[in-house]
Amino acid sequence: MALDHSRLLAASLTVALFGGVSCSTAGNSAADGNVADGNVAGGSVAGGSVAGGSVAGGSVGAGSVGAGSAGDRPGPDLVLRGDIANDRLPAGAPQGQDQRNLDQQRREALVAKYLDNAKALRLGGKLEAAKFELMKAHDLAPANQEVANLINAINADLGLPSGDAASFDEQQMKLAHIQLDRRRAAVTQLLQDARGKMEAKDFAGAAEDLRHAELDITTASSMDWGDLPKQVQALKTEAETKRTEQVRAQNADVAQRLAARLREENEATVARRRAQVEHWLQQAQLAFQSKRFQYAADLALKAEQTEPNNALAVDLHNAALKAARDDIADTYYNEKSRELRNMLEAMEELKVPQTDVLRVDPETWEKALRRLHTAATEAPVDPANQAVLDKVRTTEVGKLNLTEENGAYADVVKLLQQTTSVPIIITPEARELITGENLKLTIELVNSITLENFLNHMTGRSQNLAWTVRNGVVVIGNKAQAAGANVLHTYDVRDLVFKRTQFLPPRIRDIPGEDGGKSETPRTGGESEDKIAFVEMDALQTNIKEATDLKYWEGEGVQLKPEDNGYLVINCSSEMHRRVEGVLGDMRRFATSAVTIDSKFLTVTRNFLQQVGFDFRGLGGSGNKGTVAPLDDLTNGLQNNASQGLDNGGTGDPAANPLAGAFFNDGRDGDIRGRTENFFGTPLGRSLNTNGGLTAGWSILDNIELNSILRAVEKQEDAEVVNSQILSVMDNERGHVAVVNQTAYIRDFDVEVAQASFIADPKVDVIQDGVVLDVKPVIQQDRKYIILDLAPTVAELTRPIPTFTTSLAGSTLPVTLQLPNLTVTNFQTTAKVPDGGTVLIGGLRQSLNKERRAEIPVLAQLPLISFLFKEEGTADENKSLMVMVRAWITDVRDLLAK
C-alpha cells in the first residue's frame, strides 16, 4: 500500500528519523544508523503517534539526515526546515511541485532504509524478518526492481516459488486465513478423536477432547465455525452421559465384588471359628481324660466364649472346674507339706523353739466332731425310694443327639425309660408347664453322664420344674410337688455374724507429747471401737435365698427367719435344707480360715572408720616433764575458742588458758610459746566413734621444749540383725505383732515452791522403740492368692539419750533434761501374694561416706613434715533394712485332710 498522504509520509519520515536515523546539527556530518524494531501497523508508527493527521509535538531541526545501511551506503540528503504540526508546513515551505518532491524523497528514504534492514537481516539468517522488511518496501515502491529481486531471492532461500510479490496486507490476510484453517482443522481433529474414543468406550478421554474443542471455539467466537459447535456440544453431552453410566456401572460392579468377597470371608471366618471350637472341645476332652482339669477348663471356656450357645462347652467347662478344684486341693495339701518342712528348717536356723503355727490332735478333733449337734433335717427315706435314688445317681446315659424334632419331654422320658430301666413319670401340672413354656430338649452328648445330671439338666430348663423320687418312681413335677414335706430346723450361725474385734497397733512413730498418750490410738495398742462381722445377719439371709432358689422362698409354707441371738430358723423341704447347709458350709470355709504371716526385719550393717592426727600440745603438767606454759592471751572458749581445754587433766573450762606444746626461753626478755591442735567439733561417724586406737606422745626437753601426741584409730563393723515374728490373723481382720522397748526419760521439770525454796520436780515419760507389723489379710475366692494390707514400722532410739542442762526460773541449781532422738522407718502398702509366697515390701538403704581434714595452713603443705601439722579421717557406713513377709492360709480342715 503506497503512502500517498502527506501526513502519513511525514509520520513515517519522523519514525525513520527518530527511531533509527542518526541526527546531527548543522555543521556536523551525518552519523550512520540503522532502523531497528520499527513497526508500522494500522497507520501508527512506533516512536511517534499520528493523531488527527499530524505529528504532535515532533520537531525536526535543520540538519543532515543520513540513512545508513549494512554496507554503510549514505542515503539521500534531506533538509527540513521549520516545524511539522497540525498538518501545517512552516512559513515559506515549498508549494505544489516542491511538496511532491519532498514526498518522493521521503518515500525513497524509507524504501532505502527497509532494503538496508532486509539485507542486514538476510546476512544474519533471519529470512522471515528480512522478507517482512521487503514487504513494507514493496508497499512504498511497487515498481522497485531491486525490492522485487530481493524478495524472489529470499523466497528461493525459503524454498517458496518465485512470482509477483504480494503486498504486506495481503500477506497478513493470507497468514490470518491460514491460522483460521489450522484452528478449524484442530477442532475437527479433536472431534474425530473424540468419536474414536467413544467407540473404544473411553468416554472420559472423549469428554476431555471435546472440552478442549469447545474451548477453542469459545476463544474464537468471531470465526465462522459452521455446524462444528453443535456437533461438539452434542457429542460432549453424549460422552458425559455415557461416562456417568460407565462410572455407575463400574461402582456397582466393584460393590458387588466387595459384597461377594465379604460373604466369602464371613463364611470362611465362621468355618474357621467352628473348626477352632471343635478343636478346642476335642482337646478339652482329651485333657479332661488325662486329668489336666485346669487346661480342659481353659479350653472349654475359650469355646464357650466363642460360641456362647454351645451346651457341650458349658457342661464341659463346669465339669472341668469342679474336677480342677478337687485336684487343686490335693496339690495344695502337698505343697503345704513341703512349705511346712521348709519353715521348720528356717526356724531351726533362727533358734526359734516353737515351729508349729497350729497343732491339731486328730483324736481330739474327732471328739469335737462327735459333740457337734446335728438335728434331723430330712424325713425318713423309704428303702425303695433310696434304691431308686441310688440307681439314678449311678446309671449312665449314653451318647444322645436330641433336636427340635425328637426333643419333646414325653419322648425323652420314654427314651430314658428304655435305656436306663428307671421308671419316670411326668405329673399333669408339669405337663401344663412344659406345654405352656413350649419346652423341648436339644442337646448333643458326646460322653455319657449320670441320669441324675441329665434329669437336673431337663428340669433346669424351666424355673418351675423339679424332680424327686416317690413311691419307687422318679416324678417330674413342679417345685411344690418335688419338694415334699417341709422340715423345721434351727441353724447356729453365730460364728458367721459374730462381731470381731479389730486390734490397733501401738504408736511408736513419734515422741510422747503433752497429751500423755490420750490420742485416739493408745500408745501401747488397743481395740478399735468398730467391730466387723464376717457377714451381717440381713446379708446372710439374702445370700441364702439367692444361692438356693429365690422364687422357692416366695412360696407358701416355707420360712427363713433370723433370730437376734445368732440363729436361723428355717422351715423348708429336705432338699432345700441340703442346699442351705451347702451354702453355710462354703461360707464357713472362708470365715474360719486364718492367714499366718511370717515377717522378718533384716538389718545389714557395714561400717568403717579411720582417723590419724598429730598435735603439739600439753607440755608439762602433773606427772609430765617440761614447763607448764599456758597461752595467757588466749582462752579455751569464749571469744578465742582456741582449744578443747582437756590437756593435763583439764576440765575444758572455756575461760581457762590453753597450754603450749612448744616452749622456748633464752633467758632474756620474753619467750616463745606455741600450740597446734587439729580437732573436729562433730563426730566423724554415726555408728563408730574415734575412741581407742593408738595414742603416743614424744617429749623433747632441751633449749626448745616440745610435746607431741600422735592419735591413730581404725575400726570396722559388720552386723546382721534378724527380727522375726509370726502372726496368725483371721480372714478380713486386722491384727498386729509388736516387739517394743520402753525407755523412761526425764521430759521436763515442774518447779515446786516450799518454804521460800524452789524444788525441781521431774516429769518422767516413756518412749517406745522397736518393731511393729500391722496387717489385714483378705483371702481370694480361689484360695490361691492373699491380699495383704501391710504397715510395718521400725523405730530406733539413739542411746544414750542426749541431755541438755539448764536452770529453772527462781532456782540456781542446774537441771538436766533428756532429748530423745528417734529414727522411724515406716512402710504402708498393699500386696497380692500367692499362698505361701514371700514379698519384699521394703529395702531401705542408708550410705554415709565422709572424708574430713584439719590442718595448719602452709605447714601442712610442706614436704616430709606435713604429717606433723594435720589430722585426717575417713568414715564409710552402710546400712540396709529389708522387710520380708511370707503369708500362707492356715485351716484346720487342711491339716486334718493330710
Side-chain angles (χ1 to χ4, degrees):
M1 179 179 65
L3 298 177
D4 297 329
H5 200 281
S6 61
R7 299 173 184 173
L8 185 55
L9 180 61
S12 300
L13 183 58
T14 304
V15 171
L17 293 175
F18 293 99
V21 180
S22 298
C23 298
S24 62
T25 57
N28 295 333
S29 61
D32 296 336
N34 296 327
V35 178
D37 297 334
N39 297 324
V40 179
S44 45
V45 180
S49 300
V50 179
S54 64
V55 180
S59 65
V60 179
S64 175
V65 179
S69 64
D72 295 332
R73 179 178 54 85
D77 294 336
L78 176 63
V79 179
L80 300 178
R81 299 181 183 274
D83 297 334
I84 302 175
N86 297 327
D87 199 18
R88 293 177 300 176
L89 294 176
Q95 301 292 331
Q97 186 61 37
D98 294 337
Q99 178 64 31
R100 286 192 295 272
N101 293 334
L102 180 60
D103 292 343
Q104 183 64 27
Q105 291 176 1
R106 291 173 181 172
R107 187 178 296 110
E108 290 176 354
L110 287 175
V111 170
K113 186 61 180 176
Y114 289 151
L115 281 172
D116 292 340
N117 290 343
K119 292 176 181 178
L121 291 173
R122 184 184 181 188
L123 291 176
K126 299 179 181 180
L127 300 178
E128 291 291 344
K131 185 177 179 180
F132 185 83
E133 294 293 322
L134 292 174
M135 295 301 295
K136 291 189 288 184
H138 180 69
D139 290 340
L140 293 176
N144 192 321
Q145 190 60 36
E146 183 181 2
V147 172
N149 293 336
L150 191 56
I151 289 175
N152 291 332
I154 292 176
N155 286 336
D157 294 338
L158 293 174
L160 299 177
S162 59
D164 295 335
S167 66
F168 177 78
D169 292 340
E170 292 175 353
Q171 183 71 16
Q172 293 299 319
M173 290 297 295
K174 183 178 180 180
L175 292 176
H177 285 297
I178 292 173
Q179 183 67 22
L180 293 177
D181 291 338
R182 288 179 179 176
R183 299 190 70 172
R184 183 178 291 104
V187 171
T188 304
Q189 184 63 37
L190 288 174
L191 186 61
Q192 292 177 357
D193 294 341
R195 288 194 178 98
K197 291 181 179 180
M198 290 281 288
E199 293 177 358
K201 305 297 183 181
D202 184 11
F203 302 114
E208 186 68 20
D209 292 342
L210 293 172
R211 277 195 294 272
H212 288 298
E214 188 177 36
L215 180 62
D216 291 342
I217 294 174
T218 304
T219 53
S221 58
S222 60
M223 177 180 171
D224 184 14
W225 293 95
D227 61 343
L228 278 178
K230 294 181 179 180
Q231 296 180 18
V232 170
Q233 182 62 32
L235 192 58
K236 177 186 174 185
T237 303
E238 181 182 358
E240 290 178 348
T241 302
K242 290 186 178 181
R243 179 191 177 190
T244 303
E245 294 176 356
Q246 185 183 37
V247 171
R248 188 181 296 111
Q250 291 176 352
N251 293 338
D253 183 59
V254 171
Q256 185 177 4
R257 288 198 302 270
L258 289 177
R261 183 182 301 173
L262 289 175
R263 283 195 300 271
E264 293 175 359
E265 292 177 354
N266 187 28
E267 292 174 358
T269 302
V270 172
R272 286 195 302 270
R273 183 168 61 247
R274 181 59 184 169
Q276 185 66 51
V277 169
E278 292 177 357
H279 174 71
W280 284 336
L281 291 177
Q282 292 176 1
Q283 294 297 322
Q285 293 171 7
L286 294 176
F288 191 92
Q289 293 175 0
S290 59
K291 295 185 178 182
R292 294 183 298 166
F293 303 113
Q294 188 60 43
Y295 182 61
D298 294 339
L299 293 177
L301 180 60
K302 289 182 180 179
E304 182 180 354
Q305 291 175 348
T306 305
E307 289 186 7
N309 297 327
N310 195 317
L312 178 59
V314 175
D315 295 340
L316 185 57
H317 178 247
N318 295 334
L321 284 179
K322 183 177 182 302
R325 283 194 295 267
D326 298 336
D327 185 69
I328 288 172
D330 296 337
T331 305
Y332 171 75
Y333 299 150
N334 297 331
E335 292 179 355
K336 285 296 295 180
S337 300
R338 290 193 297 270
E339 292 295 335
L340 288 175
R341 287 195 297 271
N342 295 334
M343 184 185 67
L344 291 175
E345 296 175 358
M347 294 305 174
E348 181 65 21
E349 293 177 359
L350 294 175
K351 303 300 181 182
V352 178
Q354 176 64 35
T355 58
D356 293 338
V357 177
L358 180 63
R359 289 185 177 182
V360 179
D361 184 1
E363 296 180 359
T364 304
W365 182 253
E366 188 65 26
K367 293 179 181 179
L369 290 179
R370 286 197 298 267
R371 286 196 302 268
L372 180 62
H373 173 70
T374 56
T377 59
E378 298 182 6
V381 181
D382 185 79
N385 294 339
Q386 185 63 41
V388 174
L389 184 59
D390 294 339
K391 189 174 182 180
V392 169
R393 291 173 178 172
T394 57
T395 302
E396 297 285 339
V397 178
K399 298 181 180 180
L400 293 177
N401 186 7
L402 302 177
T403 61
E404 291 286 340
E405 289 76 11
N406 60 351
Y409 270 52
D411 297 338
V412 174
V413 168
K414 292 179 182 179
L415 180 60
L416 292 176
Q417 288 178 343
Q418 294 174 1
T419 56
T420 62
S421 300
V422 176
I424 305 173
I425 64 173
I426 301 177
T427 64
E429 292 79 4
R431 293 180 183 274
E432 293 180 2
L433 289 174
I434 294 171
T435 304
E437 297 181 9
N438 193 20
L439 295 179
K440 288 187 179 181
L441 194 62
T442 57
I443 186 173
E444 181 181 358
L445 290 180
V446 295
N447 290 321
S448 60
I449 62 175
T450 62
L451 180 58
E452 180 183 11
N453 292 335
F454 193 88
L455 292 175
N456 290 335
H457 179 70
M458 288 182 62
T459 56
R461 304 295 292 273
S462 175
Q463 296 181 354
N464 298 317
L465 285 180
W467 68 274
T468 186
V469 178
R470 189 177 302 161
N471 299 326
V473 178
V474 176
V475 179
I476 299 177
N478 56 26
K479 289 190 174 182
Q481 294 173 340
N486 291 339
V487 179
L488 181 64
H489 182 62
T490 302
Y491 293 89
D492 186 358
V493 293
R494 289 177 297 174
D495 56 334
L496 297 176
V497 299
F498 176 72
K499 299 290 185 179
R500 301 176 183 179
T501 303
Q502 304 294 309
F503 297 97
L504 303 179
R507 291 188 299 111
I508 62 171
R509 301 181 184 178
D510 51 6
I511 297 175
E514 293 292 340
D515 60 351
K518 297 180 181 179
S519 61
E520 296 181 358
T521 304
R523 292 176 54 188
T524 57
E527 300 178 359
S528 174
E529 296 180 357
D530 299 330
K531 296 185 177 182
I532 302 175
F534 179 77
V535 61
E536 299 293 338
M537 181 62 78
D538 295 339
L540 177 61
Q541 182 181 359
T542 302
N543 292 341
I544 291 175
K545 291 181 179 180
E546 293 179 350
T548 54
D549 191 346
L550 188 60
K551 289 192 175 182
Y552 174 82
W553 299 102
E554 297 175 358
E556 297 180 0
V558 295
Q559 180 185 10
L560 195 156
K561 180 181 179 182
E563 298 292 340
D564 295 337
N565 55 359
Y567 290 90
L568 279 177
V569 178
I570 300 178
N571 184 21
C572 62
S573 64
S574 300
E575 177 63 26
M576 189 56 66
H577 275 297
R578 285 195 296 270
R579 296 186 184 182
V580 172
E581 290 175 356
V583 173
L584 294 177
D586 292 338
M587 297 183 70
R588 285 191 174 94
R589 179 174 176 81
F590 289 93
T592 59
S593 298
V595 177
T596 302
I597 300 171
D598 182 8
S599 62
K600 290 181 175 61
F601 293 78
L602 177 62
T603 304
V604 180
T605 305
R606 300 285 185 271
N607 299 324
F608 174 80
L609 181 142
Q610 184 185 70
Q611 182 168 324
V612 179
F614 200 94
D615 297 332
F616 291 95
R617 57 184 173 85
L619 187 64
S622 176
N624 297 326
K625 296 181 179 181
T627 303
V628 177
L631 304 179
D632 299 330
D633 297 336
L634 302 175
T635 57
N636 290 326
L638 302 180
Q639 69 271 20
N640 300 124
N641 195 23
S643 170
Q644 290 182 330
L646 302 177
D647 292 336
N648 302 330
T651 60
D653 183 6
N657 306 115
L659 301 178
F663 177 72
F664 173 73
N665 189 352
D666 57 357
R668 301 177 183 178
D669 295 338
D671 54 26
I672 298 174
R673 307 178 184 185
R675 171 191 180 94
T676 65
E677 183 176 7
N678 301 303
F679 66 88
F680 301 106
T682 58
L684 178 59
R686 295 179 300 186
S687 301
L688 301 176
N689 55 40
T690 57
N691 297 336
L694 171 66
T695 302
W698 290 271
S699 298
I700 300 177
L701 302 177
D702 202 345
N703 295 334
I704 297 177
E705 298 181 7
L706 294 174
N707 186 62
S708 59
I709 299 176
L710 170 66
R711 291 176 293 105
V713 60
E714 178 176 318
K715 293 184 179 181
Q716 183 174 353
E717 179 187 31
D718 296 336
E720 293 184 4
V721 180
V722 178
N723 196 335
S724 178
Q725 303 87 22
I726 294 180
L727 174 66
S728 294
V729 186
M730 297 295 292
D731 183 22
N732 200 28
E733 290 190 14
R734 184 179 181 184
H736 69 273
V737 59
V739 181
V740 178
N741 299 319
Q742 294 185 341
T743 304
Y745 72 102
I746 300 175
R747 179 169 56 87
D748 200 355
F749 285 88
D750 288 336
V751 179
E752 301 290 343
V753 181
Q755 297 180 356
S757 62
F758 298 92
I759 301 174
D761 184 15
K763 298 174 65 175
V764 180
D765 209 335
V766 177
I767 188 170
Q768 300 182 126
D769 67 325
V771 176
V772 175
L773 176 63
D774 184 16
V775 63
K776 180 179 180 181
V778 177
I779 302 175
Q780 288 196 344
Q781 54 88 19
D782 56 1
R783 297 177 65 86
K784 293 182 180 180
Y785 295 92
I786 306 170
I787 298 177
L788 298 176
D789 189 1
L790 298 166
T793 303
V794 179
E796 297 180 359
L797 179 64
T798 302
R799 291 182 174 82
I801 300 177
T803 60
F804 172 73
T805 302
T806 184
S807 59
L808 300 178
S811 176
T812 58
L813 297 177
V815 294
T816 301
L817 303 177
Q818 290 180 300
L819 305 177
N821 184 14
L822 190 65
T823 302
V824 179
T825 302
N826 180 47
F827 302 96
Q828 290 183 345
T829 184
T830 300
K832 180 179 180 181
V833 298
D835 182 20
T838 302
V839 60
L840 177 65
I841 62 173
L844 179 64
R845 301 184 63 184
Q846 298 179 0
S847 179
L848 172 65
N849 190 355
K850 181 187 292 187
E851 295 183 1
R852 64 183 184 181
R853 177 173 178 172
E855 62 184 16
I856 307 300
V858 180
L859 297 179
Q861 308 300 325
L862 298 177
L864 301 178
I865 64 173
S866 62
F867 174 76
L868 304 176
F869 302 100
K870 66 181 178 180
E871 181 175 5
E872 294 179 337
T874 301
D876 188 4
E877 298 180 356
N878 295 277
K879 183 178 180 181
S880 178
L881 173 62
M882 292 177 286
V883 182
M884 293 175 291
V885 177
R886 178 172 172 263
W888 65 92
I889 302 173
T890 301
D891 199 331
V892 177
R893 300 178 185 180
D894 298 339
L895 298 177
L896 294 175
K898 295 178 182 178

